[in-house]
Amino acid sequence: KTEGRSERRKRDQKMELWYVVHGMPKKGRPTRSSKNLRPRRMWTEEENVLLERLVAEHGPRKWHRLEKYFEGRKGTHLRSHYKHAIEKREGKRPFTPEEDAYILRERERLGGEWSLITSR
């Protein structure tokens, strides 16, 4: 049976009382959120290269299949890191001369309608 919110609150209040009665300092008490947490690891450059290569081979889908290549990392973490770190890194480059010409041409034609310019 799963525990409801009120049961969890009562249990937490009882535990809090137990910690107070037994003189446990507040700073050292375990919390529900601190259970089973592993220390975070920084992404290495080798992992970034491997993730980039695997996404190029398999596409940016079915992240759970890539988990076997990364010890201690879940598919959701792989996707998040790819979307927020690697993919953004690729997007931060100067415009090519062709892109510059297109932007200037469309700006002249459409004016300040940037949503129309970027949608094409």
Side-chain angles (χ1 to χ4, degrees):
K1 180 182 170 193
T2 60
E3 188 177 39
R5 185 181 302 175
S6 61
E7 289 90 10
R8 278 194 309 267
R9 188 176 305 127
K10 287 177 187 174
R11 187 197 65 218
D12 290 348
Q13 288 171 347
K14 286 180 184 178
M15 288 303 297
E16 181 68 25
L17 180 60
W18 186 89
Y19 289 135
V20 171
V21 168
H22 289 85
M24 186 175 225
K26 196 166 194 143
K27 191 171 186 179
R29 298 178 195 169
T31 62
R32 211 177 18 233
S33 63
S34 67
K35 296 177 185 175
N36 302 328
L37 287 181
R38 285 184 236 138
R40 291 185 179 180
R41 287 188 303 129
M42 296 296 291
W43 283 81
T44 65
E45 191 55 37
E46 292 81 23
E47 286 177 314
N48 286 338
V49 170
L50 178 60
L51 183 59
E52 256 182 304
R53 186 175 58 81
L54 290 170
V55 170
E57 288 175 17
H58 302 285
R61 297 270 190 271
K62 302 191 179 172
W63 297 96
H64 64 278
R65 291 185 180 171
L66 303 181
E67 288 177 9
K68 61 185 171 189
Y69 299 100
F70 299 90
E71 187 177 334
R73 304 222 190 254
K74 298 285 185 190
T76 55
H77 301 131
L78 299 176
R79 180 193 177 281
S80 177
H81 183 68
Y82 183 78
K83 292 288 183 191
H84 297 290
I86 296 174
E87 205 173 53
K88 281 189 176 180
R89 183 176 63 196
E90 292 173 0
K92 293 182 180 179
R93 61 167 178 75
F95 290 121
T96 64
E98 295 81 23
E99 290 169 332
D100 277 335
Y102 170 79
I103 292 169
L104 292 173
R105 186 175 60 249
E106 292 299 306
R107 171 71 167 93
E108 186 69 32
R109 189 171 73 88
L110 298 171
E113 298 292 331
W114 292 106
S115 60
L116 293 175
I117 294 171
T118 59
S119 68
R120 295 172 186 215

